[in-house]
Amino acid sequence: MTRVWLCAGVLALSSAWAGAHMVITPWTPLFKGVEHALGTNFPDGTIPRLQVVNCVRIDLTDPDVQLFSTPRITNYLAESRETASLSVSNFVKQYGVQVAAVANFYTSVQGPDPNAEGIPCQVYGLAISAGQTVSVPDYGPDSNNRYVSLLFTTNKEAFMVLSNAPPGTNTAGIYTAVSGYYPVLTNGVVLGSALATLYPDDTIHNLHPRTIYGLSQDRRYLFMMVIDGRQPGYSESASDAESGMWLLALGGWDGVNMDGGGSAAMYKADCAGDPVPLGRSSYVPGFGYERRVGSHLGVFAPPVPSFIHNVATAPGSLTATITWSTWSNASSQVEYGTTTNYGTLTPLDTNLVTVHSVNLSGLSPLTRYFFRVLSLAEGDLHSAACHGKHFSTTNFAGGMIFPLTNAWKYTTGNLDGLNWQLPAHNDTGWSNGLAALWAHDGGSINSSTSGVPNLTTRMPLNPATAYPFPTYYFRTTFDYPAMLNGASLIFSNFLDDGAVFYLNGVEVYRLNMAAAPAVITNGSYALGITCPGGPNAGNASCPIVFTINGDLMTNLLAGTNHLAVEAHNAALMSRDVVFESALFYTLSPPPQLPPFFTNIVVLPGETTAVLTWTTLSNSTTEVLYGLTPLLGNSSSLDANPVSQHAVALTNLAPRTQYYYRLVSLAGTNELVFDGTFSTVPFHQPVLTFSNTWKFTTNNLDGVNWTAPEYDDTEWLGEGPALLHVEDNAAVGPRTTPLPEGSNGLPYPTYYFRTAFSVTNPVGGLALLVTNFIDDGAVFYLNGVEIQRVRMPTGPISYATYANACPLNNCEATKDVPDVFRLGGGWMTNVTTVGDNFLAVEVHQRNATSSDIVFGSMLGLVRATAGETALKVTASNGVTYISWPGEYLTLQYCTNLTEPGSWADLPGPGRSSPLGLTNSGGSSFYRLRD
């Protein structure tokens, strides 16, 4: 006889136990100097709720790691226009950082939509970006008490100041600074209830998603930690004490609470530089997009050193050159194609080298190509690829002017005061040789051991020191026959350590040298080294590419041109110098025709998508689509030529990315446009802001006003949300004014009622309720209390005050919605026959509160596994397991104590009911999302 057990809330984890039933993964490298750990817990008496924690640990001693916070906005104005709002993911993409999270609290100060990007923001507390002050601490209501600051010098020496109130800390030498609200961990001691005394605005000490920054005791590590929240069954928010406990468990010694709640989010960059979330934002499920915030902290870090590195591309119109480096000698090969399936391999180059270059030919112009590089070393095949590793061919002319192995004249004499860069300079007495030109204080070196390609011409050392000279000078000539209009020159160089380039006597570029107008002399030293990472650090082992165009090109001549370069060492006793440079040219593309496809809009649903677009001329209509770039499915061809196109796709998989191609035939020309979209989670609105609410201010103690049958026809008025007594422009949309009391202040309590209908079955669904409340409220559905927001326990009367207020300075602005879900047994109170009645009483926080705000939106969403009940029946030797709803998967195990024993049930585990024949023994079952 099979024994069936139904399990709820069981979580299988393979990591070792930590204090308070915390489970933390080992630190995993994300980038050089940046590691990631993931934590969760088994709820117990210490942390009585499920939490998911993502933390990155930044090694501040790593010279390749740099910090970057949100810079000043254009037209900066202190205390008003300080930064521009931006989502965390777009901060990663816009500034090219590898990891970022939200930092200081902020307020959007203008614009019709405070959730739009680019809106000016006021940042609270000290903020410094790249040595420039963005925000300073301030007293008064505008300060928001954000006085706990993290400060970093130019070399990332870290400080934490617990009370950075005006006039503030001396910020001389500080390169980066961000500020939070209050500490959660100091000197290894977790702060909890004491915070309510130190920081009297106790609303911040409730359960919320958290962003915590911290430092290790030795100040070597910066911790950026996000605890997800407001997501039952996944992660249910954290208190101050719990935040401090997690940071301590992860290795922190001091920590501060930053901007959390719906703003809490952290992203990393993938191999293509695109943002990938670390955790789940609580804001996205309710609004469908990230919150745009006014303050971020990002981390620049190079990739984790791998065998294949320094991958670079130089595309032309029909060709492309792919270059890369390896730590030891290896073969060279490239696989490429117009999709991520590649399809074409270059011939294997068995010549074992550390600097690789492969030319691709026969390409199509204006085409995107995906590729990966392959190198075989000592029997091991190494590859470097990325879903976004690609290049696009051009549609304009270009080519090589001279290669890396070009011939150069050179000298080591001190040329200060001479116009040696000019074409007319007499260099007949200079030496000459093929690149790469080099000097080294030891014996001979070679390309295999140094990683520097083409080592050919050895130059002399300084006899006074037996080391290379501080500066070496180089000159060459080249012919440029192309038209000058719109030209660009591309320099690809291997050099060590710094350089200044001159075209026909005019300076065009400086590398690792003091910026202009600083004068460069024979005794000037480079400010740094090239190629700082890997075993060949400091050698000229990686390509350095730059382009000159625009005004710098006015000095380019049709015919003979003179190129002069001075290469500088980083120190008097620098052991080596290397120089080689290849030169390419490109011409501007011809004038572009208007794009054939415009106004492309994709409106995805849960299992559908509607695509609309406009074409330049009348053409046919068809959409190809699929789960990969190979597509595989197509809509019906509409051969009627039109310029406005629309196609509806059906039977799609929920929450899935699709590739698509628009295909339009205009005459004999077939034109296409490629893109992607993702189907979205199910959400069916049942109550929006446009719904009308009835309201009254009468004392209804003892009256059953929440019942569906209650007669509210005599109430004071009605109107859509937001209903309000409010004059703050940041609160909106303020639609329906509410009456005030005779004293000019709002009444202690306001009562609201509305009705909504649900026509479809609600099995397997939950209600998502999004609210804007100032200050507290009690919700009733069809006469049954379902939720309290900032209200005390026990009986509620007309004179009961809320015990807190909204997070944003006690204002119900769009960035602080109160969101909760009703699932499971609560859904039995929702009727699909007739109207449902939602009643809400909104309470003031105290007798002198000057405003009240209320609005609520309801939507049906898919129930999670934790909100769905399993049922079991048995008949004729068959056990039937059933559950309401779709898109959940049944799992089973035979031993609850064995780690990792849960597995998806083979076969159609998404179909309910499911019949199982008795097989003896005990089996346990649960649902997963």
Side-chain angles (χ1 to χ4, degrees), residues 104 124-126 136-151 160-166 168-169 178-183 199 256-257:
N104 300 46
Y124 295 126
L126 178 67
V136 297
D138 187 17
Y139 278 127
D142 290 338
S143 72
N144 215 258
N145 294 322
R146 262 56 183 187
Y147 293 145
V148 182
S149 299
L150 286 170
L151 304 96
M160 183 170 172
V161 180
L162 296 181
S163 183
N164 192 19
T169 304
V178 292
S179 298
Y181 203 158
Y182 53 85
Y199 300 88
V256 55
N257 187 80

Side-chain angles (χ1 to χ4, degrees), residues 422-576:
L422 295 177
H425 180 75
N426 184 1
D427 56 17
T428 55
W430 290 28
S431 302
N432 63 78
L434 298 177
L437 302 104
W438 63 280
H440 195 281
D441 71 327
S444 296
I445 58 175
N446 57 65
S447 295
S448 295
T449 58
S450 68
V452 181
N454 311 315
L455 287 172
T456 304
T457 302
R458 186 166 188 172
M459 300 182 296
L461 299 173
N462 185 347
T465 63
Y467 286 91
F469 288 90
T471 302
Y472 289 75
Y473 301 89
F474 304 92
R475 284 169 56 94
T476 194
T477 61
F478 64 89
D479 289 328
Y480 184 74
M483 297 298 294
L484 302 183
N485 184 33
S488 296
L489 292 181
I490 304 171
F491 294 76
S492 180
N493 317 275
F494 290 84
L495 60 86
D496 180 0
D497 294 302
V500 184
F501 290 73
Y502 305 88
L503 176 61
N504 293 324
V506 176
E507 181 182 326
V508 294
Y509 189 76
R510 295 190 184 192
L511 172 70
N512 279 350
M513 301 299 294
V519 176
I520 304 299
T521 69
N522 182 267
S524 299
Y525 290 111
L527 301 181
I529 61 174
T530 56
C531 313
N536 291 321
N539 290 339
S541 57
C542 59
I544 298 168
V545 180
F546 65 88
T547 300
I548 64 171
N549 48 37
D551 291 342
L552 293 176
M553 296 298 294
T554 57
N555 206 43
L556 179 66
L557 305 175
T560 301
N561 293 265
H562 292 258
L563 185 64
V565 184
E566 52 184 300
H568 294 256
N569 267 315
L572 177 63
M573 300 300 183
S574 180
R575 301 189 61 187
D576 58 357

Side-chain angles (χ1 to χ4, degrees), residues 256-589:
V256 55
N257 187 80
M258 309 299 290
D259 187 10
S263 298
M266 183 157 57
Y267 282 77
K268 70 169 185 174
D270 67 8
C271 50
D274 294 323
V276 176
L278 294 173
R280 301 183 193 173
S281 164
S282 65
Y283 197 79
V284 174
F287 292 87
Y289 56 87
E290 279 180 76
R291 175 175 286 167
R292 283 66 161 161
V293 299
S295 177
H296 319 72
L297 180 62
V299 182
F300 290 107
V304 175
S306 60
F307 183 78
I308 294 175
H309 52 284
N310 297 330
V311 180
T313 63
S317 58
L318 303 174
T319 62
T321 300
I322 313 295
T323 59
W324 69 96
S325 302
T326 52
W327 295 136
S328 62
N329 288 332
S331 63
S332 308
Q333 194 172 28
V334 173
E335 188 174 14
Y336 66 98
T338 56
T339 72
T340 52
N341 292 317
Y342 310 116
T344 303
L345 271 170
T346 63
L348 175 64
D349 184 351
T350 58
N351 182 36
L352 302 182
V353 294
T354 59
V355 179
H356 307 256
S357 179
V358 172
N359 294 316
L360 311 182
S361 59
L363 307 180
S364 300
L366 284 177
T367 302
R368 181 174 63 177
Y369 285 87
F370 296 86
F371 73 94
R372 65 172 177 167
V373 300
L374 306 167
S375 286
L376 183 66
E378 298 179 351
D380 294 326
L381 181 63
H382 303 269
S383 67
C386 171
H387 73 271
K389 185 73 75 178
H390 63 268
F391 63 87
S392 293
T393 49
T394 65
N395 69 332
F396 50 92
M400 178 183 289
I401 296 176
F402 59 74
L404 284 172
T405 53
N406 185 54
W408 294 78
K409 289 190 173 183
Y410 67 89
T411 188
T412 60
N414 186 335
L415 300 185
D416 289 351
L418 299 178
N419 290 324
W420 65 274
Q421 309 96 333
L422 295 177
H425 180 75
N426 184 1
D427 56 17
T428 55
W430 290 28
S431 302
N432 63 78
L434 298 177
L437 302 104
W438 63 280
H440 195 281
D441 71 327
S444 296
I445 58 175
N446 57 65
S447 295
S448 295
T449 58
S450 68
V452 181
N454 311 315
L455 287 172
T456 304
T457 302
R458 186 166 188 172
M459 300 182 296
L461 299 173
N462 185 347
T465 63
Y467 286 91
F469 288 90
T471 302
Y472 289 75
Y473 301 89
F474 304 92
R475 284 169 56 94
T476 194
T477 61
F478 64 89
D479 289 328
Y480 184 74
M483 297 298 294
L484 302 183
N485 184 33
S488 296
L489 292 181
I490 304 171
F491 294 76
S492 180
N493 317 275
F494 290 84
L495 60 86
D496 180 0
D497 294 302
V500 184
F501 290 73
Y502 305 88
L503 176 61
N504 293 324
V506 176
E507 181 182 326
V508 294
Y509 189 76
R510 295 190 184 192
L511 172 70
N512 279 350
M513 301 299 294
V519 176
I520 304 299
T521 69
N522 182 267
S524 299
Y525 290 111
L527 301 181
I529 61 174
T530 56
C531 313
N536 291 321
N539 290 339
S541 57
C542 59
I544 298 168
V545 180
F546 65 88
T547 300
I548 64 171
N549 48 37
D551 291 342
L552 293 176
M553 296 298 294
T554 57
N555 206 43
L556 179 66
L557 305 175
T560 301
N561 293 265
H562 292 258
L563 185 64
V565 184
E566 52 184 300
H568 294 256
N569 267 315
L572 177 63
M573 300 300 183
S574 180
R575 301 189 61 187
D576 58 357
V577 64
V578 173
F579 172 72
E580 63 180 330
S581 180
L583 184 60
F584 304 82
Y585 78 93
T586 62
L587 290 175
S588 297

Side-chain angles (χ1 to χ4, degrees), residues 67 334 380 428 525 543 642 667 696 753 845 910:
L67 304 179
V334 173
D380 294 326
T428 55
Y525 290 111
V642 294
T696 188
R753 281 171 56 94
R845 190 182 182 196
R910 289 178 180 267

